[in-house]
């Protein structure tokens, strides 16, 4: 049953990522943690992110905002080792609690932030903070997305630029994270076996997501995803302290 749930989670996470351009770790990591320890769940989700980003970027690379992507990647690289140290040394219950709080806070931010607070002239320190924080969160929890989404919202990127630029970030940063995980002995035989299992349903989900991306009403779909994330965060807290 665990393998079945891992496959189903991977399919849904890849579907959301392909449809929206982000979000698979927000779904995959907390749900993986219901069945796997953090030292297995996080590397598994990040390895899956590499493949998803590669497939999507092969199609959308013309829409990448390279100027922002390169600095986000650079600043994230500085934060990844901090995040990996947190993953290795922090108690599992603490990791789940922080992850749940971050997910709920991000979903509420995305649901209720007014478009009037978004800016096109974003200060450089915001680029650094979003990039570095995404690296820390990615290394520790596989949760790169929220700071990037906030930055993209501030820049008022179009949907096409938003989706493509995030993939240009996710691909190198996820690869670097995987290399660090391997160096720290976190890429075990179990992680590799689960990655192969997760990859099988993820590939068709990517192409289904491309189809949905052109046809689903974006605002409504975003709202469903964000409320779903709040539910996942609550479930994660209940399973940690229940």
């Amino acid at each position: 049953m665990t393998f079945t749930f891992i496959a189903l989670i991977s399919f849904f996470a890849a579907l959301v990522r392909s449809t929206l351009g982000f979000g698979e770790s927000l779904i995959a990591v907390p749900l993986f943690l219901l069945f796997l320890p953090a030292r297995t769940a996080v590397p598994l989700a990040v390895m899956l992110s590499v493949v998803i980003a590669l497939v999507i970027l092969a199609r959308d690379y013309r829409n990448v905002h390279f100027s922002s992507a390169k600095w986000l990647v650079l600043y994230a690289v500085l934060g990844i080792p901090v995040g990996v140290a947190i993953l290795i040394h922090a108690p599992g219950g603490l990791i789940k609690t922080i992850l749940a709080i971050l997910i709920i806070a991000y979903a509420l931010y995305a649901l209720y932030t007014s478009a009037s607070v978004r800016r096109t002239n974003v200060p450089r320190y915001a680029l650094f903070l979003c990039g570095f924080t995404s690296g820390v969160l990615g290394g520790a929890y596989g949760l790169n997305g929220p700071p990037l989404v906030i930055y993209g919202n501030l820049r008022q990127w179009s949907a096409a630029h938003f989706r493509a630029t995030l993939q240009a970030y996710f691909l190198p940063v996820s690869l670097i994270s995987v290399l660090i995980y391997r160096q720290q002995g976190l890429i075990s035989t179990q992680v590799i076996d689960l990655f192969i299992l997760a990859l099988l349903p993820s590939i068709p989900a990517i192409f289904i997501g491309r189809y949905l991306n052109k046809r689903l009403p974006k605002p409504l779909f975003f709202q469903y995803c964000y409320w779903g994330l709040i539910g996942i965060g609550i479930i994660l807290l209940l399973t940690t302290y229940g």
Side-chain angles (χ1 to χ4, degrees):
M1 289 299 295
T2 297
F3 289 160
T4 301
F5 281 118
I6 295 299
L8 290 173
I9 293 166
S10 301
F11 175 85
F12 184 62
L15 181 65
V16 171
R17 167 74 170 272
S18 183
T19 303
L20 302 180
F22 73 99
E24 95 288 348
S25 291
L26 290 166
I27 294 170
V29 173
L31 292 180
F32 282 161
L33 285 173
L34 298 177
F35 307 96
L36 303 169
R39 290 164 65 100
T40 300
V42 174
L44 173 60
V46 175
M47 290 171 67
L48 196 59
S49 176
V50 171
V51 177
I52 297 173
L54 183 62
V55 175
I56 297 176
L57 194 58
R59 177 196 178 203
D60 295 338
Y61 68 92
R62 293 183 182 87
N63 293 317
V64 174
H65 193 279
F66 284 102
S67 177
S68 295
K70 68 180 181 181
W71 288 109
L72 287 170
V73 170
L74 176 62
Y75 296 143
V77 169
L78 300 177
I80 291 173
V82 179
V84 174
I86 294 173
L87 175 63
I88 294 174
H89 299 294
L94 177 61
I95 291 177
K96 290 183 180 181
T97 301
I98 294 175
L99 180 58
I101 292 172
L102 288 172
I103 289 173
I104 294 172
Y106 165 66
L108 291 173
Y109 166 87
L111 280 169
Y112 296 111
T113 297
S114 170
S116 63
V117 304
R118 298 173 186 172
R119 304 168 52 181
T120 53
N121 296 322
V122 182
R124 188 59 175 268
Y125 70 81
L127 181 62
F128 170 78
L129 288 175
C130 289
F132 182 80
T133 305
S134 70
V136 174
L137 296 179
Y141 315 117
L143 194 65
N144 303 78
L148 304 177
V149 174
I150 292 171
Y151 183 77
N153 285 342
L154 290 172
R155 291 295 304 270
Q156 297 183 334
W157 284 336
S158 67
H161 283 91
F162 183 83
R163 183 169 56 254
T165 303
L166 261 60
Q167 309 320 305
Y169 166 92
F170 281 124
L171 182 58
V173 170
S174 297
L175 279 171
I176 293 169
S177 298
V178 169
L179 292 175
I180 295 177
Y181 292 150
R182 178 180 173 84
Q183 183 184 34
Q184 296 295 326
L186 298 176
I187 307 296
S188 62
T189 302
Q190 180 191 20
V191 172
I192 295 174
D193 290 342
L194 290 173
F195 169 67
I196 296 172
L197 171 68
L199 197 60
L200 295 177
S202 296
I203 297 301
I206 294 172
F207 292 97
I208 295 173
R210 287 181 177 180
Y211 175 84
L212 294 176
N213 180 263
K214 297 180 179 180
R215 289 164 176 81
L216 288 179
K218 294 294 190 303
L220 184 62
F221 190 74
F222 269 95
Q223 288 184 26
Y224 286 149
C225 286
Y226 294 139
W227 282 113
L229 290 175
I230 292 172
I232 290 172
I234 293 172
I235 291 173
L236 199 57
L237 288 174
L238 291 177
T239 57
T240 303
Y241 298 102

